[in-house]
Amino acid sequence: MTIGLRRRRATGGAAMPGADAGEAAVHAPRVGNPALFGGLALLSVLVVLLDLRTGEDLRLVPLLVVVPALVSVFGTIRQTVGVSTLVMIVVVGSHLVYGGTFWDITTGVIVTVLACCLGIGACALRIRHALQIARLRSAAGALQRQILRPLPILTDQVLAHGIYAPIEEDRLVGGDIYEVVQSPYGTRVIIGDVQGKGLAAIGAGFAVLGAFREAAVREPSLTGVVDALEDAVARHNVFSAQTGETERFVTALVLGFDGSDRVEAVNCGHLSPRLLHDGAAAAVPLSRTSVPLGLAELSGEARAAEWLDFPPGATLLICTDGVTEARDASGAFYPLDARLGRWAERAPYEVLEALNADLDSFSGGVRRDDIAALALRRTTVGGLDRPMVADHGARRAAETFSGR
């Protein structure tokens, strides 16, 4: 799922789109009805023919009672009921044809009915459990999306497009975060990645986001903002230790835009940004990279800011390691810099659309980590480097500005 490239999905009181998709996948048959029932008919014919050849010494038809149990592992409830009905007809019919004592026939019929009912019940329980897991996974992804603002975001200094694709699986969902805040000191931007996976990682990410939204407006310096984030992670780790959770650190890149041709940056163990300008794309080296948030006690150096060139018309791309660590079928990592060079002359939202599609193609649709990326460009009016005033229609203005 991408946020900011298309539109924000309003869930309201209705079921979440992710939940609907997950539930539909659970209810969808893995084997089509023609193949399933055609195979069952062929199997029944073969078993009956073999049963006729073996005679009364070895009865094979009653063995068909195991088929509903097998179908319950992968089939839908309707398919399991249909298979059970056919099996009961064949097996009970064989008992009546072969005859026998009253108790033999009765026992055979009862065993057949019970076996088919157990298969149907097992299928219903499997689907119920799968639905619960799908809803939990969807809820984890939805929670992760709800703590992040929808994109694009327009401020006085920058227009931020972005993609965000969480892994909707409870054990894999990560803590990728981003935020863009207009402050009295310019626009402050953060992108980060919480160490570890699971709902606890989302909690740590939420702690960082809350601290950033407050500190970005309060602190005059960008290093002051980062110090506030460090304190927030330290407090969160203390609380985590008290509740038995694992302490975590957060890699983060914090940027400050003041409307000039330069960008202030404080890198806390995160990936370097990429600059797309004049038809070329290149990583921007950061010489003052410090330790991730939450690990300041391990370093004797205070975090320092540095300045990056951000010329008019350039796009600054920042992302999490879900992009650079995506793998193809052979295990090779995604060549981000090589691919960005192909799209260097495109608009920011076009770069992100191409990146998202290319990542999906490269990984074969199998993603092992959350993906977050922001494409930042200076806001201009009439081709001049003048700030565009943001208002309550910022989102609409951003889409107009970007040509969507």
Side-chain angles (χ1 to χ4, degrees):
M1 175 181 294
T2 60
I3 297 180
L5 293 181
R6 298 298 182 191
R7 62 184 182 275
R8 184 182 184 185
R9 294 182 176 182
T11 60
M16 293 174 292
D20 292 341
E23 292 180 20
V26 171
H27 287 295
R30 301 181 188 178
V31 178
N33 288 334
L36 178 63
F37 289 100
L40 176 62
L42 179 60
L43 177 63
S44 300
V45 170
L46 291 175
V47 170
V48 170
L49 291 177
L50 289 174
D51 190 78
L52 291 175
R53 291 180 61 87
T54 58
E56 296 184 0
D57 295 335
L58 180 62
R59 299 291 304 278
L60 299 178
V61 173
L63 297 179
L64 287 174
V65 296
V66 303
V67 175
L70 296 176
V71 174
S72 70
V73 175
F74 59 85
T76 65
I77 294 180
R78 289 185 178 182
Q79 288 178 330
T80 307
V81 170
V83 168
S84 299
T85 301
L86 292 177
V87 167
M88 282 192 289
I89 291 174
V90 173
V91 176
V92 172
S94 71
H95 281 297
L96 295 177
V97 169
Y98 280 102
T101 66
F102 171 79
W103 291 112
D104 289 339
I105 297 176
T106 302
T107 301
V109 171
I110 292 176
V111 170
T112 301
V113 172
L114 286 177
C116 292
C117 290
L118 286 175
I120 297 172
C123 181
L125 289 176
R126 176 185 63 82
I127 291 178
R128 180 180 178 182
H129 178 70
L131 286 174
Q132 291 175 342
I133 296 299
R135 288 165 183 164
L136 286 174
R137 291 175 177 175
S138 178
L143 173 62
Q144 197 173 9
R145 285 189 292 268
Q146 287 301 314
I147 67 176
L148 301 174
R149 295 177 63 189
L151 296 163
I153 300 173
L154 177 67
T155 70
D156 290 350
Q157 288 78 30
V158 296
L159 172 63
H161 285 276
I163 57 174
Y164 175 61
I167 299 296
E168 293 189 351
E169 185 171 345
D170 48 355
R171 68 181 181 88
L172 291 180
V173 64
D176 286 11
I177 57 173
Y178 66 82
E179 184 57 287
V180 180
V181 175
Q182 177 72 66
S183 79
Y185 313 103
T187 299
R188 269 78 186 268
V189 178
I190 184 174
I191 190 166
D193 188 359
V194 181
Q195 172 253 338
K197 306 290 183 185
L199 293 177
I202 297 179
F206 185 73
V208 174
L209 282 177
F212 178 77
R213 288 163 179 164
E214 179 182 352
V217 178
R218 183 190 67 233
E219 297 293 336
S221 67
L222 199 63
T223 53
V225 174
V226 176
D227 289 340
L229 300 182
E230 174 67 32
D231 293 340
V233 176
R235 289 193 299 269
H236 180 79
N237 282 337
V238 170
F239 176 77
S240 297
Q242 293 173 347
T243 57
E245 293 287 346
T246 303
E247 298 181 22
R248 300 176 185 273
F249 62 82
V250 182
T251 65
L253 177 64
V254 183
L255 304 175
F257 299 82
D258 59 6
S260 68
D261 291 350
R262 297 196 303 165
V263 179
E264 189 178 13
V266 178
N267 189 7
C268 303
H270 199 72
L271 297 174
S272 298
R274 269 67 176 176
L275 186 68
L276 288 72
H277 185 55
D278 287 339
V284 181
L286 298 174
S287 59
R288 298 182 177 180
T289 299
S290 60
V291 297
L293 300 173
L295 300 179
E297 293 183 354
L298 303 180
S299 174
E301 298 181 0
R303 291 189 172 92
E306 54 188 305
W307 291 89
L308 315 175
D309 291 332
F310 191 36
T315 298
L316 195 65
L317 181 76
I318 55 179
C319 62
T320 59
D321 60 9
V323 175
T324 57
E325 295 182 2
R327 295 174 182 261
D328 63 9
S330 66
F333 289 109
Y334 182 72
L336 175 62
D337 294 317
R339 300 299 174 90
L340 286 178
R342 305 176 184 177
W343 314 317
E345 296 184 354
R346 299 187 184 184
Y349 71 89
E350 293 176 332
V351 172
L352 292 172
E353 286 183 335
L355 175 63
N356 192 49
D358 194 49
L359 277 169
D360 196 52
S361 174
F362 181 82
S363 63
V366 180
R367 296 184 178 179
R368 300 175 177 85
D369 198 0
D370 295 349
I371 291 175
L374 298 181
L376 308 167
R377 179 170 288 188
R378 290 168 52 177
T379 52
T380 59
V381 178
L384 301 177
D385 300 326
R386 296 201 307 266
M388 179 184 293
V389 178
D391 55 17
H392 295 293
R395 178 177 171 80
R396 194 181 310 113
E399 293 172 339
T400 302
F401 176 82
S402 61
R404 295 309 299 265

